[in-house]
Amino acid sequence: MKRELTLDELFKQRKNSNHALVDVRSPKEYAEGSMPGAINIPIFDNEERAEVGTIYKQDGQQAAMKRGLEIFSAKLPEFVEEFRSLNQPFTVFCWRGGMRSKTAATMTDLMGLRASRLIGGIRTYRQWVVSELEKAEFSPPLIVLNGYTGGGKTAILHRLESDGFPVMDLEGMAGHRGSIFGAIGLEPSNQKKFDALLVGAMKSFEDAPFVVIEGESRRIGKAVLPEFFDQKKNEGIHLFLRLPIEERVQNILNDYDTEAYPEKFLEAFSKIERRIHTPIAKEIRNHLEENRFREAFRLLLEFYYDPRYEHSAGLDENDERQIFIDADNMEDAYRKVRQQIQRIGRKLAAGEAAAGQDHK
């Protein structure tokens, strides 16, 4: 196997064979954004990387390399065993394709493992992501699942994905559920991480007949959708799911670990409290302080989220691109959403076939 791969060569390798990606940077660097599908087997942990970096600044490259070798050599057996457990060929990378990836590739290769290294590191991948976004191209039509807060849209998307439908989970990429409470219990993605995941998904589905996404604002947590993708979303076919309010409250309770983060809900609520009529806001705060989340969420839906959604969603039952779905519960909702998507898929396929006939 070739020992050094360009980014294009790596893409072909991943497409044509079982091949692992290994990010050997520190866990902190990895968490801030990596290549989709990559696992983290770090040369240095966060503290070790900081120590080596300090030595480099204070005493120079040779002293830093000496200390780095001391740290790495002590854990070399465990490091190699992590790679051995992959049971498949792999490519390693660091930030710029420098010492860390060279060390990992050399050591694992010496131990008889099939290792290669990405030339230019993740920096070259980031440059590719930026260039792909600048093209502003994504051809599959979008089917957008909308609905009031708590409508179970993400759960439905995940079930559609499990059933083989082409789905892009924008909230999952952003690490945020989209509401004022959306970051609770999650680690929101920065823009670089979100962009990488989005481009990876776009490449995966570039030949799909359509893609299903959830209706989101352009900003999702810390991340912002590219303008061209947001525009394409707005021009898509929109499904509007309507569920009874008690079903929605239960969905919210299912989504959040309220017992683990009670103070986070109060902290988030304080950011919107002044926008709610004072007696209702006081009642919601009392419920949150006393861990009565069902009551709090019901009032938040009724007096905050639902009015805002109705004001901003642009609902129009006469618009042929808007399809309204009334459901009694989540099972009913999934069945009806799936039926609509299948119907739309057949219609899109028929349209493409007719277009192909016109061009003959």
Side-chain angles (χ1 to χ4, degrees), residues 225-239:
L225 278 172
E227 185 175 355
F228 79 91
F229 196 93
D230 187 59
Q231 181 64 30
K232 188 174 184 67
K233 176 200 71 179
N234 293 336
E235 295 170 353
I237 300 171
H238 289 253
L239 308 181

Side-chain angles (χ1 to χ4, degrees), residues 150 244-256 294 297-298 301 330:
I245 192 167
E246 292 304 332
E247 284 285 319
R248 292 159 51 210
V249 170
Q250 186 59 52
N251 285 336
I252 296 172
L253 290 169
N254 293 341
D255 285 343
Y256 289 94
R294 183 179 297 275
F297 291 152
R298 195 185 198 291
L301 292 181
M330 285 297 291

Side-chain angles (χ1 to χ4, degrees), residues 91-340:
T91 295
V92 298
F93 62 90
C94 57
W95 169 233
R96 291 182 293 187
M99 287 299 297
R100 287 183 287 181
S101 60
K102 288 179 182 177
T103 299
T106 300
M107 291 298 118
T108 52
D109 192 58
L110 286 172
M111 299 305 294
L113 302 176
R114 291 177 289 173
S116 59
R117 183 174 69 91
L118 175 61
I119 299 170
I122 195 172
R123 184 172 65 171
T124 195
Y125 177 74
R126 174 60 185 168
Q127 291 168 345
W128 174 80
V129 167
V130 171
S131 69
E132 288 297 310
L133 290 175
E134 288 175 346
K135 292 178 184 178
E137 297 174 354
F138 188 59
S139 58
L142 294 181
I143 301 175
V144 187
L145 181 58
N146 300 275
Y148 292 89
T149 299
K153 300 180 292 295
T154 301
I156 289 173
L157 285 186
H158 290 171
R159 190 167 170 184
L160 287 168
E161 185 175 28
S162 296
D163 287 348
F165 288 85
V167 169
M168 290 173 61
D169 181 4
L170 299 178
E171 286 189 358
M173 297 176 197
H176 198 281
R177 300 181 188 89
S179 73
I180 191 67
F181 303 115
I184 295 176
L186 300 176
E187 186 62 42
S189 300
N190 60 26
Q191 191 67 46
K192 288 183 179 180
K193 183 175 183 179
F194 179 79
D195 287 347
L197 293 171
L198 179 64
V199 169
M202 288 167 55
K203 284 296 178 182
S204 296
F205 293 123
E206 60 185 350
D207 296 322
F210 59 84
V211 172
V212 187
I213 65 170
E214 182 173 345
E216 299 286 352
S217 61
R218 190 177 174 196
R219 175 175 290 278
I220 315 171
K222 296 180 180 179
V224 178
L225 278 172
E227 185 175 355
F228 79 91
F229 196 93
D230 187 59
Q231 181 64 30
K232 188 174 184 67
K233 176 200 71 179
N234 293 336
E235 295 170 353
I237 300 171
H238 289 253
L239 308 181
F240 289 90
L241 179 60
R242 298 185 288 211
L243 277 170
I245 192 167
E246 292 304 332
E247 284 285 319
R248 292 159 51 210
V249 170
Q250 186 59 52
N251 285 336
I252 296 172
L253 290 169
N254 293 341
D255 285 343
Y256 289 94
D257 187 350
T258 53
E259 293 183 4
Y261 307 100
E263 73 289 348
K264 295 290 185 181
F265 288 93
L266 276 167
E267 180 183 334
F269 175 65
S270 66
K271 298 176 182 178
I272 62 171
E273 190 169 6
R274 61 182 178 81
R275 304 177 194 172
I276 303 172
H277 188 50
T278 301
I280 300 298
K282 185 177 180 180
E283 190 174 353
I284 294 171
R285 173 167 286 278
N286 289 339
H287 287 321
L288 291 174
E289 288 175 346
E290 297 173 12
N291 293 341
R292 295 197 301 267
F293 290 98
R294 183 179 297 275
E295 294 85 348
F297 291 152
R298 195 185 198 291
L299 289 174
L300 279 164
L301 292 181
E302 185 176 355
F303 292 97
Y304 180 72
Y305 283 109
D306 287 6
R308 288 172 63 86
Y309 183 77
E310 290 165 1
H311 177 72
S312 63
L315 304 181
D316 182 0
E317 299 207 20
N318 295 316
D319 187 338
E320 62 181 14
R321 293 186 303 111
Q322 297 186 13
I323 300 169
F324 293 83
I325 301 172
D326 292 300
D328 297 327
N329 52 52
M330 285 297 291
E331 191 62 35
D332 186 37
Y334 178 71
R335 179 178 60 81
K336 290 179 176 178
V337 167
R338 178 179 172 132
Q339 287 175 347
Q340 286 291 348

